[in-house]
């Protein structure tokens, strides 16, 4: 083994230690609820709590709505910018990057100020209004990832030529968008969707300030009051993240069969 | 009866005028090629016919209907692109069916039509393939079938063969022509390959810098170029500078000798006027035939073996002249550096209007 190889492997091991040891420690701790022996009691306790199911399903529904609304907003935008307003690209890219530098709490304070109960559009008065605000907030936070994923997928097809081909065959704008463009950028939408999902399910600030029964605030509540359940929840969240990543991989591979391997 | 009519069509992008004053009428079922160098505006004219660009001036009519202001998806014009432009998410059959589906055709009818179209391009066995699973030539045939499925009024092809290799290019252009004849569809074919245009067109439009320099049959364009540009762009004409010696006596001085050219061919050039004449390579030969009445002596500068013909280039008093002779294994081709004599008929000389 050359010296160079040795140092490369050392770097890999150090990094693995850095990630794996805390994970193993968390797992180990989460299984120590029953005195003297390892058990899944903490996990059982987590799943036994009704609030786990209700908050988690609420967050999943919100995440799915965010994904659908976000895709419907972002795909046409990215398409239009590519096709007709390429000079606007730098502006749009800058706007989509803003959520990375503006903290969620600032966004939500802005919302609360604009849409509070005494404003002319009092969205916070009703559950539906607050849910809508939450979806908008999630969408804003996922914008940098969603836009980039969609835009990258769009780069692999010749948007302009496909549009003209469809137009000369008599297609109208909705047909072009949903039959010719959307299916070809589905990979991008999906990878953006999974990141959006992860953000929406784990987010604490927005739902807690909007007083929504979401998974993030529930996680924080459990963390503050229990000992063994929080690491169990963390492991569950970790597993779900991996399932998401595997899903991304599978769908990407399935896409190749349908949309062409380039 | 003219079917597709372009009259005084102009196009500017900002202050840049790309198409100047384009006039042409194309008959129903005619196959017309646009031939010209890169950037001369071929694609722009085609895109105006398809409706992707609006005209800055003039009108385009199809079957008597003014197309100005009509959206591309309302024109029913078939379009084939250089980059194939098949929908990657659809199979071959779905691609061909796309236009029919959009038009609201019934399912059974779509099925029949798709089958008919795929048989036309002999790709029926690949109906369920995706575009990425096919060669460029196959993809372009599918694109052709897709463009024809809706029975368009006009078929436009923008350099459909440029991305393909030489062999396929020749066979596919013949296939396109065959299908076009079979369906009798009015077709415009854009190319910058003169051989392609000459071999398959009813008429050719030679374009230069946004103007149609000459519109004519392949034989017209090749044998009687109307401008110096056409003469230089189509074929490999020898262009020679000449001077009218005596108009009445019909003598013109070319490369140090006098030849006879009927005054009617001189386009009104008077005595002493400088004119340009052209000679096709195949009009010259090394052997003297009874009808060849002019001889040019020159030093051979290059000899290219092209298979069936040998192209020889020689220097005649500072002007380059090239000529072709059929390959004959029994004959010794000229050698570089030797003095050769080329013979031609004075009546083969073309006078190019300046
Ligand atoms: N959208 C546009 N904006 C500005 N200029 C344009 C635009 N489209 C074309 N042009 C210009 O118009 C001229 C003609 O372009 P066009 O594409 O019609 O040429 P072409 O004959 O098809 O050339 P090629 O053989 O390279 O395809 C070019 O100089 C080009 O730069
Ligand atoms: Mg072009």
């Amino acid at each position: 083994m050359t010296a160079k190889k040795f140092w490369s492997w050392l770097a890999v091991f150090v990094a693995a230690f850095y990630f794996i040891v805390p994970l193993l420690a968390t797992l180990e701790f989460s299984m120590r609820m029953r005195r003297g022996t390892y058990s899944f009691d903490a996990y059982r306790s987590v799943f036994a709590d009704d609030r786990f199911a209700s908050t988690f399903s609420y967050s999943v529904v919100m995440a799915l709505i965010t994904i659908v609304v976000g895709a419907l907003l972002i795909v046409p935008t990215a398409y239009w910018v590519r096709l007709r307003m390429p000079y606007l690209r730098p502006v749009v890219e800058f706007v989509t990057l803003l959520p990375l530098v503006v903290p969620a709490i600032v966004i939500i304070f802005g919302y609360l100020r604009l849409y509070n109960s005494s404003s002319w559009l009092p969205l916070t008065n009703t559950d539906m209004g607050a849910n809508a605000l939450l979806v908008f907030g999630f969408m804003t936070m996922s914008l940098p990832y969603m836009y980039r994923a969609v835009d990258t997928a769009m780069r692999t097809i010749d948007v302009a030529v496909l549009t003209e081909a469809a137009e000369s065959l008599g297609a109208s704008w909705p047909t072009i968008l949903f039959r010719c463009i959307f299916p070809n950028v589905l990979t991008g939408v999906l990878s953006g969707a999974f990141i959006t999902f992860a953000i929406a399910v784990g987010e604490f600030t927005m739902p807690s300030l909007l007083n929504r029964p979401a998974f993030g605030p529930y996680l924080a509540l459990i963390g503050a009051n229990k000992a063994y359940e929080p690491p169990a929840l963390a492991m569950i969240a970790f597993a779900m993240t991996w399932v998401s990543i595997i899903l991304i991989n599978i769908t990407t591979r399935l896409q190749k069969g349908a949309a062409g391997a380039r | 009866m003219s079917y597709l009519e372009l009259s005084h069509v102009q196009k500017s992008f900002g202050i840049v005028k790309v198409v100047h004053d384009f006039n042409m009428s194309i008959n129903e079922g005619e196959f017309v090629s646009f031939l010209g160098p890169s950037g001369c505006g071929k694609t722009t004219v085609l895109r105006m016919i398809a409706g992707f660009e609006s005209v800055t001036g003039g009108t385009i009519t199809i079957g008597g209907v003014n197309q100005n202001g009509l959206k591309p998806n309302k024109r029913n014009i078939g379009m084939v692109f250089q980059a194939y432009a098949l929908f990657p998410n659809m199979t071959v059959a779905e691609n061909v069916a796309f236009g029919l589906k959009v038009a609201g055709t019934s399912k059974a009818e779509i099925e029949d039509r798709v089958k008919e179209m795929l048989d036309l391009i002999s790709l029926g066995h690949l109906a369920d393939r995706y575009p990425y699973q096919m060669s460029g030539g196959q993809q372009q045939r599918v694109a052709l079938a897709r463009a024809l499925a809706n029975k368009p009024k006009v078929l436009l092809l923008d350099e459909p063969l440029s991305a393909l290799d030489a062999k396929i290019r020749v066979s596919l252009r013949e296939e396109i022509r065959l299908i076009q004849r079979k369906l009798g569809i009015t077709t415009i074919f854009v190319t910058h390959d003169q051989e392609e245009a000459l071999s398959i067109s009813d008429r050719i439009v030679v374009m230069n810098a946004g103007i149609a320099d000459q519109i004519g049959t392949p034989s017209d364009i090749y044998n009687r170029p109307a401008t110096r540009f056409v003469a230089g762009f189509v074929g490999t004409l020898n262009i020679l500078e000449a001077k009218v010696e005596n108009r009445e006596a019909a003598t013109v001085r070319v490369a140090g000798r006098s030849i006879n050219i009927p005054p009617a061919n001189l386009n009104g050039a008077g005595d002493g006027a400088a004119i340009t004449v052209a000679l096709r390579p195949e009009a010259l030969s090394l052997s003297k035939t009874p009808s060849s009445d002019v001889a040019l002596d020159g030093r051979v500068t290059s000899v290219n073996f092209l298979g069936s013909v040998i192209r020889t280039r020689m220097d005649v008093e500072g002007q380059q002249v090239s000529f072709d002779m059929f390959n004959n294994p029994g004959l010794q081709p000229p050698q570089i550096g030797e003095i050769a004599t080329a013979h031609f008929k004075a009546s083969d000389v073309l006078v190019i209007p300046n």
Side-chain angles (χ1 to χ4, degrees):
Chain A
M1 194 192 281
T2 63
K4 207 172 167 190
K5 248 193 177 151
F6 170 78
W7 289 112
S8 320
W9 278 110
L10 187 72
V12 170
F13 278 125
V14 170
F17 250 70
Y18 186 81
F19 289 114
I20 289 169
V21 169
L23 207 61
L24 288 178
T26 311
L27 179 66
E28 199 261 357
F29 184 74
S30 74
M31 293 166 72
R32 276 189 8 201
M33 197 168 182
R34 194 177 299 173
R35 210 166 287 270
T37 169
Y38 287 132
S39 72
F40 287 104
D41 283 4
Y43 293 84
R44 220 164 286 140
S45 153
V46 164
F47 287 120
D49 188 347
D50 281 347
R51 285 174 303 169
F52 170 75
S54 71
T55 57
F56 190 69
S57 54
Y58 173 85
S59 282
V60 167
V61 170
M62 288 296 120
L64 292 180
I65 295 174
T66 306
I67 287 164
V68 172
V69 178
L72 287 179
L73 181 78
I74 287 164
V75 173
T77 307
Y79 170 65
W80 206 247
V81 169
R82 258 184 186 277
L83 192 65
R84 289 290 144 86
M85 292 173 284
Y87 51 90
L88 273 187
R89 264 179 83 91
V91 179
V92 174
E93 296 224 329
F94 176 74
V95 169
T96 60
L97 279 177
L98 276 180
L100 288 182
V101 290
V102 179
I105 190 148
V106 174
I107 297 172
I108 215 70
F109 275 151
Y111 281 177
L112 288 176
R113 203 165 161 75
L114 270 175
Y115 303 114
N116 64 35
S117 48
S118 54
S119 70
W120 56 270
L121 187 60
L123 282 178
T124 55
N125 274 2
T126 60
D127 271 357
M128 280 328 269
N131 288 345
L133 277 184
L134 190 61
V135 166
F136 295 157
F138 286 162
M139 245 168 66
T140 311
M141 289 184 67
S142 67
L143 197 58
Y145 314 102
M146 196 68 163
Y147 180 83
R148 250 151 217 79
V150 168
D151 198 52
T152 307
M154 235 168 240
R155 193 170 306 156
T156 62
I157 54 171
D158 193 335
V159 173
V161 176
L162 285 189
T163 302
E164 289 183 354
E167 255 186 308
S168 73
L169 292 167
S172 57
W173 284 111
T175 311
I176 295 174
L177 204 55
F178 287 104
R179 293 240 199 109
C180 308
I181 303 297
F182 232 102
N184 289 309
V185 296
L186 205 59
T187 1
V189 173
L190 281 174
S191 49
F194 286 117
I195 299 171
T196 307
F197 188 87
I199 291 175
V201 168
E203 171 65 17
F204 167 77
T205 321
M206 288 192 170
S208 85
L209 283 173
L210 285 168
N211 198 21
R212 297 285 83 209
F215 189 59
Y218 171 70
L219 255 175
L221 180 75
I222 298 290
N225 298 314
K226 304 241 171 122
Y228 298 101
E229 281 86 347
L233 268 173
M235 291 315 293
I236 293 170
F238 181 76
M240 284 184 324
T241 312
W242 272 99
V243 169
S244 293
I245 290 171
I246 290 166
L247 275 180
I248 293 179
N249 268 308
I250 292 172
T251 42
T252 314
R253 232 159 262 163
L254 287 183
Q255 255 312 98
K256 266 187 190 145
R262 275 162 297 243
Chain B
M1 192 28 220
S2 116
Y3 181 64
L4 170 59
E5 186 95 39
L6 293 111
S7 98
H8 305 290
V9 170
Q10 298 174 24
K11 181 70 192 178
S12 304
F13 291 109
I15 54 161
V16 186
K17 206 159 187 180
V18 174
V19 175
H20 289 266
D21 185 40
F22 197 95
N23 293 289
M24 166 153 215
S25 44
I26 298 174
N27 296 326
E28 191 153 13
E30 202 176 5
F31 191 112
V32 173
S33 290
F34 286 2
L35 177 64
S38 190
C40 69
K42 307 181 294 288
T43 299
T44 306
V45 173
L46 213 64
R47 290 172 58 82
M48 286 191 285
I49 299 173
F52 298 132
E53 304 282 358
S54 58
V55 296
T56 311
T59 51
I60 297 172
T61 57
I62 299 177
V65 180
N66 191 338
Q67 304 288 307
N68 290 13
L70 215 54
K71 291 233 160 57
N73 57 358
K74 299 278 176 257
R75 293 194 184 192
N76 194 13
I77 286 177
M79 185 103 189
V80 175
F81 302 84
Q82 183 178 342
Y84 320 139
L86 295 178
F87 304 121
N89 57 313
M90 300 180 199
T91 62
V92 167
E94 286 166 348
N95 263 286
V96 176
F98 182 82
L100 299 162
K101 235 182 230 167
V102 166
T105 316
S106 77
K107 231 183 177 138
E109 216 171 312
I110 290 180
E111 217 164 276
D112 289 349
R113 185 85 182 135
V114 168
K115 191 175 171 331
E116 185 189 338
M117 285 293 111
L118 291 182
D119 287 345
L120 190 67
I121 55 163
S122 347
L123 284 182
H125 58 295
L126 299 184
D128 295 324
R129 290 258 185 111
Y130 283 95
Y132 76 92
Q133 297 169 316
M134 298 197 302
S135 73
Q138 291 171 330
Q139 288 189 52
Q140 197 58 300
R141 274 146 75 196
V142 174
L144 180 67
R146 180 180 68 177
L148 291 170
N150 279 34
K151 301 195 170 135
K153 297 194 192 100
V154 177
L155 176 66
L156 307 176
L157 305 110
D158 192 355
E159 305 200 24
L161 308 175
S162 305
L164 304 170
D165 66 55
K167 266 226 171 73
I168 307 231
R169 215 149 55 206
V170 173
S171 69
L172 192 49
R173 83 182 179 211
E174 270 151 24
E175 194 174 339
I176 289 174
R177 177 59 158 150
L178 213 69
I179 290 172
Q180 184 270 341
R181 277 223 173 91
K182 201 186 270 180
L183 303 179
I185 185 167
T186 313
T187 302
I188 300 179
F189 183 99
V190 166
T191 178
H192 53 237
D193 180 338
Q194 46 132 329
E195 187 200 314
E196 218 164 85
L198 289 169
S199 64
I200 57 173
S201 318
D202 287 322
R203 278 196 296 162
I204 297 175
V205 182
V206 183
M207 288 185 65
N208 177 26
I211 295 174
D213 253 31
Q214 186 175 2
I215 301 177
T217 63
S219 136
D220 265 348
I221 299 280
Y222 192 78
N223 295 321
R224 283 175 292 282
T227 67
R228 186 172 175 151
F229 172 80
V230 175
F233 191 75
V234 180
T236 35
L237 284 182
N238 294 299
I239 309 270
L240 298 169
E241 300 309 328
K243 195 175 241 173
V244 178
E245 250 177 7
N246 187 333
R247 196 181 156 80
E248 293 306 305
T251 56
V252 169
R253 194 151 188 86
V254 182
R257 48 190 61 60
S258 272
I259 62 172
N260 282 321
I261 293 179
N265 291 354
L266 290 178
N267 305 312
D271 287 2
I275 59 171
T276 305
V277 298
L279 262 177
R280 280 173 289 120
E282 57 271 30
L284 290 137
S285 90
L286 273 187
S287 53
K288 185 166 164 44
T289 59
S291 57
S292 53
D293 45 10
V294 191
L296 287 178
D297 296 326
R299 187 173 294 280
V300 175
T301 55
S302 76
V303 179
N304 288 314
F305 183 67
L306 303 177
S308 62
V309 297
I310 296 169
R311 177 158 296 171
T312 307
R313 190 179 272 278
M314 65 184 201
D315 182 293
V316 181
E317 297 185 5
Q319 304 203 66
Q320 293 293 315
V321 172
S322 66
F323 57 90
D324 292 346
M325 50 196 235
F326 282 112
N327 176 29
N328 180 346
L331 265 183
Q332 169 82 359
Q335 298 298 305
I336 291 177
E338 75 178 27
I339 300 289
T341 307
H343 304 270
F344 64 92
K345 290 188 286 184
S347 57
D348 279 341
V349 173
L350 311 166
V351 179
I352 312 284
N354 276 353

